[in-house]
């Protein structure tokens, strides 16, 4: 229910809700899964709360977002975490990769091929199967209260959308405008209870080209500032028709050193949670990673250009391999009841 007070201006309109407690609860759940990126979290949560409020029936998707800027700072993971909260399923997010739609003919991967044509027996990406996570959660009684009233709900992510062919974009405009799409087999799929997210690293290559030509930034913040300018100018390559249908363009932040440490702590916590669920006869093993190891991993493997991908891959493989050695050292495992990687 809306309060009478509406604060803000035309650029940033904030609606005071009596349900702010529910909003804060959802954001806290996201904070437990994703480090930083508060703008994206707030955008997703407010879209879900708006849809659940039933202020007006909508023929558009619940939210259409463009997540931009650096690679591997949490764009896909933020969407995945939101789906996990809503469906209680880490696999609840539907992901379509941009490189799968890079050619003109790949638009038929979205809507299917006409009958009797090659590929007509293949199920298109945008079929009613995208609501499978919702139905699974519904049957398991694990749907989040905010989406229980819907007949279906899904979060659809187009990863690296800037790689998609213009004809594919033209096909998607119907989804973004009317909240529905007609498949080649004369079947209509509704998206008015969907969140549609596009991610883009557009501008990263331009920054790399500048560096290859000898451009040097003396401070990291100078590089980040100049890179964001390039990214904003590169967004003009998206068609006005598409940008006009996007509800919000969310610029993701670079990860700070503290954020990187928290990411490693988060992954360590997940490992410890798995260890606690192991066989009751299994001695309790708790993993702890020292600050020196975290410092080494960040210094050695984190880079602005690649984000945290290489760093987290190295951290996961090393930590999990060491832990595998420890676990497989049974029956002499008692001495490792509190194991620290130094």
């Amino acid at each position: 229910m809306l309060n009478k007070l509406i604060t803000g201006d035309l650029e940033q309109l904030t609606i005071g809700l009596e349900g702010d407690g529910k909003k804060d609860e959802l954001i806290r759940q996201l904070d437990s899964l994703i480090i930083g990126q508060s703008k994206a979290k707030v955008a997703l949560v407010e879209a879900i709360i708006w849809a659940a409020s039933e202020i007006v029936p909508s023929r558009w998707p619940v939210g259409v977002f463009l997540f931009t800027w650096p690679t591997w700072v949490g764009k896909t993971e933020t969407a995945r975490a939101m789906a996990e909260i809503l469906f209680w399923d880490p696999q609840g997010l539907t992901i379509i990769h941009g490189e799968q739609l890079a050619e003109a003919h790949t638009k038929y991967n979205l809507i299917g091929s006409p009958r009797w044509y090659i590929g007509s027996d293949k199920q298109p990406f945008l079929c009613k199967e995208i609501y499978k996570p919702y139905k699974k959660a519904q049957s398991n009684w694990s749907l989040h209260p905010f989406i229980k009233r819907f007949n279906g709900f899904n979060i659809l992510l187009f990863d690296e959308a800037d790689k998609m062919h213009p004809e594919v974009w033209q096909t998607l405009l119907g989804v973004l405008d009317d909240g529905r799409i007609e498949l080649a087999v004369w079947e209509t799929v509704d998206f008015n209870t969907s969140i549609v997210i596009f991610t883009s690293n557009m501008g990263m290559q331009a920054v790399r080209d500048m560096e290859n030509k000898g451009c040097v930034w003396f401070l990291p913040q100078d590089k980040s500032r100049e890179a964001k300018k390039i990214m904003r100018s590169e967004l003009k390559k998206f068609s006005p028709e598409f940008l006009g249908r996007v509800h919000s363009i969310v610029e993701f932040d670079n990860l700070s050193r503290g954020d990187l440490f928290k990411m490693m702590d988060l992954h360590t916590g997940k490992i410890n949670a798995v260890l606690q669920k192991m066989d009751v006869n299994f001695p309790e093993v708790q993993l702890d990673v020292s600050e020196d190891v975290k410092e080494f991993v960040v210094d050695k493997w984190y880079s602005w250009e690649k984000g945290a991908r290489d760093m987290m891959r190295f951290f996961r493989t090393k930590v999990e391999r060491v832990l595998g050695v420890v676990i497989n050292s049974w029956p002499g495992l008692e001495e490792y009841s509190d194991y620290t990687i130094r």
Side-chain angles (χ1 to χ4, degrees):
M1 181 177 178
L2 291 175
N3 286 337
K4 292 182 180 179
L5 178 63
I6 297 182
T7 60
D9 54 30
L10 292 177
E11 294 297 324
Q12 292 182 330
L13 185 63
T14 303
I15 302 177
L17 293 172
E18 288 184 4
D20 268 354
K22 295 179 180 179
K23 170 183 170 181
D24 292 340
E25 179 187 348
L26 266 179
I27 290 177
R28 280 195 298 271
Q29 287 178 286
L30 279 172
D31 285 339
S32 69
L33 298 172
I34 297 294
I35 304 301
Q37 313 304 352
S38 59
K39 289 180 288 187
K41 293 173 183 175
V42 170
L44 288 174
V45 169
E46 286 185 347
I48 292 168
I49 290 177
W50 171 79
S53 68
E54 301 182 85
I55 297 175
V56 288
S58 176
R59 63 181 179 86
W60 303 288
V62 170
V64 179
F65 300 102
L66 177 58
F67 287 176
T68 66
W69 203 223
T71 183
W72 232 95
V73 292
K75 297 189 291 293
T76 301
E77 291 305 312
T78 299
R80 196 190 308 277
M82 190 77 261
E84 181 176 350
I85 291 168
L86 294 179
F87 305 124
W88 203 249
D89 181 3
Q91 307 301 319
L93 177 67
T94 302
I95 302 178
I96 299 175
H97 297 282
E99 60 266 22
Q100 295 176 289
L101 303 170
E103 304 293 337
H105 66 86
T106 56
K107 69 179 182 181
Y108 295 112
N109 291 342
L110 289 178
I111 61 175
S113 299
R115 292 187 188 279
W116 314 117
Y117 279 67
I118 294 174
S120 60
D121 57 331
K122 294 182 180 178
Q123 199 170 50
F125 291 154
L126 298 184
C127 65
K128 292 184 178 179
E129 283 296 301
I130 62 173
Y131 291 103
K132 191 173 181 179
Y134 177 93
K135 294 175 182 177
K136 179 182 176 182
Q138 190 178 45
S139 64
N140 294 335
W141 298 89
S142 57
L143 276 178
H144 194 281
F146 276 148
I147 61 172
K148 280 184 177 179
R149 75 169 186 85
F150 298 116
N151 290 327
F153 196 94
N154 78 89
I155 301 180
L156 177 62
L157 182 136
F158 290 89
D159 194 28
E160 297 189 78
D162 44 285
K163 296 180 179 179
M164 297 192 305
H165 193 274
E167 287 200 25
V168 175
W169 284 108
Q170 198 65 33
T171 303
L172 286 173
L173 291 182
V175 173
L176 307 184
D177 202 22
D178 299 326
R180 60 175 56 198
I181 194 169
E182 190 171 292
L183 305 181
V185 293
W186 304 103
E187 181 182 358
T188 299
V189 181
D190 289 324
F191 288 87
N192 58 353
T193 56
S194 301
I195 290 178
V196 184
I197 301 170
F198 300 88
T199 72
S200 172
N201 299 326
M202 191 174 282
M204 289 293 292
Q205 188 58 48
V207 175
R208 294 189 188 104
D209 291 342
M210 290 178 66
E211 290 183 328
N212 292 336
K213 292 176 182 178
C215 184
V216 177
W217 288 276
F218 293 100
L219 296 173
Q221 53 266 37
D222 292 337
K223 181 177 183 178
S224 180
R225 192 181 304 113
E226 185 64 28
K228 285 196 173 185
K229 288 181 183 178
I230 295 172
M231 179 272 295
R232 287 165 187 157
S233 66
E234 290 282 308
L235 284 179
K236 296 176 183 177
K237 293 182 179 179
F238 285 114
S239 71
E241 293 83 3
F242 165 66
L243 293 177
R245 290 166 171 81
V246 172
H247 299 166
S248 180
I249 298 175
V250 182
E251 290 182 10
F252 273 60
D253 301 317
N254 285 307
L255 297 170
S256 68
R257 198 173 185 84
D259 290 336
L260 298 172
F261 284 8
K262 288 177 184 176
M263 286 176 66
M264 288 185 272
D265 289 338
L266 185 64
H267 188 66
T268 302
K270 290 179 180 178
I271 291 175
N272 284 331
V274 171
L275 291 173
Q276 289 176 0
K277 294 178 181 178
M278 296 180 79
D279 193 332
V280 292
N281 297 319
F282 201 82
E284 183 179 354
V285 176
Q286 285 295 301
L287 179 68
D288 179 50
V289 180
S290 71
E291 294 298 312
D292 289 341
V293 168
K294 295 175 191 174
E295 292 277 359
F296 169 78
V297 171
V298 171
D299 291 338
K300 180 75 174 177
W301 293 99
Y302 176 74
S303 68
W304 186 90
E305 292 80 7
K306 295 182 179 180
R309 178 178 281 109
D310 288 349
M311 185 200 79
M312 287 306 297
R313 183 184 297 118
F314 175 83
F315 180 78
R316 285 170 177 158
T317 54
K318 291 298 180 183
V319 168
E320 290 171 6
R321 283 178 184 175
V322 169
L323 192 61
V325 171
V326 171
I327 291 175
N328 284 309
S329 67
W330 177 264
L333 193 59
E334 291 83 353
E335 61 183 288
Y336 295 111
S337 60
D338 187 11
Y339 195 83
T340 303
I341 297 179
R342 300 187 183 279

